[in-house]
Amino acid sequence: MKHFKLNIKLKFALLLASIFLMQSCSDFLEQEPGTQTSITEQLKNKAGVLQAMRGLYGEVEAAVRFAPYATYADLQGGNIKFTPTISTSSATNGQIAVKDNTFGIYNFNDVAEESNLSSFYSDCYDIINQTNLFLEFADALPDATLAEKHQIKAEALTIRAYAHFLLSEIYAQNYGYTADASHLGIVYNKASINEKLTYPARETVANTYAFIINDIKEAIDLYSNTALLDGPTYSYFNKVSAKALLARVYLSKKDWRNAYDTADDIIANSGVSLVASDNYVAQWEQPDLPISEILLEFSIPRSNDGAASGSMSAAYGYTTNTSYGYYSASNDLVNLYESSDIRKQLFLTKSIPTLVNLQLTPMNYNFTKKFQNNPGYVAFRLSEQYLIRAEAAIGLNNADQARADINVIRARAKATLLTNNTNIADALFLERRKELCFEGHLFFDIARNKKDVSRNDGCISLICSMAYPSLKYVMPIPRKNITLNSNLAQNESY
């Protein structure tokens, strides 16, 4: 909630400066280079590896759930706006203001010295380092079966690819920015600090994507039906969710044939079905459980008595007029839905006193029902695969298939069906915006499609519009990482 502060402080480590392995979701072991004995002890048997892997998933969940990353794509793209400040001061109560941890992001003017996403950058590389440790130790486990070793490696490879992909979306221009994707990508780490200390340079985007794809494909070949960790199976990567990641990567690369085939395989063979129209809203409203078409949702942290200690409701939740999240839906988004569209029922409209011309004035805000009641971070769900297949079909000059896939989503939403292929690419873009809102896609969709940023309702940024291409479509590499690694080139304009 808005005025709620987590009492757990995350410890962040600089890339190539330190190692830490999480011992559990709330207790982790921090290691400096040169103290590898404890790491070796931790990873010497299956029980230690699985304990560390549970911690790794907890760290992945924290990295993607916390703002500003969790809201980055929707904030930059214009799906969300800030809610009024809650304060005991009459001068600031009800005021609309940019939150401190998004000021640079929101104004497309982040600074490398104090980047809003510096912790996210370090978190991702720490996650990557941990996956590399698992990969280096897995084969030597004396008490694990071959299938279990393969499963450990498969999940580690997928998480490594996932973290690198998230970094590439934030810190590298989209794949099509240059004709041959020769522009700067990211550092791709394939060995842990435990093995050696190196100072690598950034790969090209072409190489970055090749490494991501290779990791996922290797993982898919290793996955077995062996469940390693307790808890909901939708909380951990498996072969299906690894394929969902691969489909998204192929889409970002505009590798239409592979994007189409991978999404098509998931739709046909995952065993997961789209939620029916009559259950769609209720599925999103249910507490503590994800929508049934989920392919991967990372479990939220809970205390020993089962109470949630953090969820997406911190950003989007609404409890009362004095307890709500930082963000509500912009009218730019809400007005895209037809009145018959059941997705419009996913907005919880509340009148909140807002400071207008120094007077508190009731104004309506639309909170999403997707993220109420202890929601987790939606990483992948089946709806996205239909929309990936549709976009790939357009790239393959199969507009009829694209229209059919879009209409599957629109029919479920009880929206008007498309009857022809006129402006099919624009129709798909808007369908993704409506169906996948608040799930971290919009700004990356804008960049991939080489569109301009246009934020209207609720925009209080110094820059509400931005023409593509722009150097500000990517974030600065945090200065502390540039200082640490002399081979790490900064993004232009920072």
Side-chain angles (χ1 to χ4, degrees), residues 79-378:
N79 272 352
I80 57 179
K81 61 183 180 182
F82 295 104
T83 54
T85 301
I86 299 171
S87 174
T88 56
S89 168
S90 59
T92 57
N93 188 43
Q95 184 181 58
I96 302 294
V98 179
K99 309 310 172 191
D100 290 343
N101 69 342
T102 61
F103 190 85
I105 289 174
Y106 188 57
N107 290 306
F108 289 98
N109 193 32
D110 198 41
V111 292
E113 286 74 14
E114 297 179 352
S115 172
N116 290 155
L117 280 171
S118 61
S119 293
F120 176 77
Y121 187 89
S122 296
D123 286 351
C124 282
Y125 278 110
D126 175 71
I127 288 165
I128 290 164
N129 186 66
Q130 292 177 55
T131 63
N132 288 331
L133 285 167
F134 292 138
L135 291 167
E136 291 158 16
F137 279 80
D139 285 333
L141 292 174
D143 55 344
T145 66
L146 183 61
E148 289 171 333
K149 292 175 182 179
H150 283 179
Q151 185 73 14
I152 290 167
K153 292 168 71 173
E155 293 186 47
L157 282 165
T158 310
I159 294 172
R160 184 170 81 176
Y162 182 55
H164 279 113
F165 179 65
L166 298 181
L167 287 164
S168 71
E169 287 191 306
I170 297 286
Y171 295 101
Q173 296 279 2
N174 74 89
Y175 196 93
Y177 186 72
T178 56
D180 57 357
S182 60
H183 52 291
L184 279 179
I186 58 171
V187 170
Y188 207 95
N189 278 358
K190 295 183 181 180
S192 72
I193 309 167
N194 189 43
E195 180 179 304
K196 59 183 178 179
L197 183 64
T198 59
Y199 294 91
R202 296 171 68 178
E203 301 286 348
T204 64
V205 166
N207 285 346
T208 298
Y209 272 68
F211 291 144
I212 291 170
I213 291 167
N214 286 342
D215 273 354
I216 303 170
K217 291 173 72 174
E218 182 180 350
I220 289 170
D221 289 339
L222 288 170
Y223 273 108
S224 65
N225 294 323
T226 304
L228 292 175
L229 303 175
D230 297 331
T233 56
Y234 58 73
S235 296
Y236 309 115
F237 273 110
N238 56 30
K239 183 177 287 191
V240 172
S241 51
K243 287 181 178 180
L245 171 59
L246 184 59
R248 188 183 294 177
V249 174
Y250 280 140
L251 183 76
S252 296
K253 188 184 175 185
K254 296 187 176 181
D255 182 343
W256 304 127
R257 182 75 268 163
N258 280 317
Y260 185 98
D261 290 345
T262 307
D264 185 65
D265 177 33
I266 294 168
I267 292 167
N269 301 312
S270 66
V272 179
S273 301
L274 289 176
V275 176
S277 295
D278 292 344
N279 293 326
Y280 188 71
V281 174
Q283 283 267 312
W284 280 112
E285 290 178 328
Q286 65 187 346
D288 299 322
L289 290 173
I291 190 169
S292 64
E293 66 182 50
I294 202 74
L295 300 176
L296 179 65
E297 177 189 279
F298 300 114
S299 291
I300 63 175
R302 292 185 179 275
S303 62
N304 291 336
D305 61 1
S309 60
S311 76
M312 290 290 289
S313 62
Y316 294 112
Y318 175 89
T319 304
T320 69
N321 268 15
T322 56
S323 179
Y324 49 82
Y326 288 132
Y327 302 101
S328 65
S330 70
N331 288 333
D332 296 357
L333 171 64
V334 175
N335 291 340
L336 292 177
Y337 298 92
E338 302 169 80
S339 58
S340 62
D341 195 320
I342 63 172
R343 292 172 297 191
K344 201 162 190 175
Q345 299 173 29
L346 285 174
F347 295 109
L348 183 67
T349 304
K350 295 293 179 179
S351 178
I352 298 176
T354 305
L355 200 61
V356 179
N357 297 324
L358 302 181
Q359 297 291 324
L360 283 176
T361 305
M363 295 187 67
N364 284 341
Y365 292 85
N366 293 295
F367 295 90
T368 177
K369 291 183 182 180
K370 283 185 175 182
F371 297 119
Q372 309 291 324
N373 301 316
N374 303 325
Y377 180 85
V378 175

Side-chain angles (χ1 to χ4, degrees), residues 39-51:
I39 294 170
T40 303
E41 185 71 18
Q42 172 71 33
L43 302 181
K44 71 178 183 179
N45 56 36
K46 184 176 69 174
V49 168
L50 297 188
Q51 184 183 42

Side-chain angles (χ1 to χ4, degrees), residues 12-14 112-113 118-119 122 477-485:
F12 302 113
L14 290 178
E113 286 74 14
S118 61
S119 293
S122 296
I477 304 293
R479 180 67 62 196
K480 61 185 180 182
N481 298 91
I482 297 286
T483 301
L484 180 67
N485 179 1

Side-chain angles (χ1 to χ4, degrees), residues 46-64:
K46 184 176 69 174
V49 168
L50 297 188
Q51 184 183 42
M53 185 169 282
R54 280 190 290 271
L56 174 61
Y57 272 105
E59 207 176 337
V60 173
E61 188 275 338
V64 295

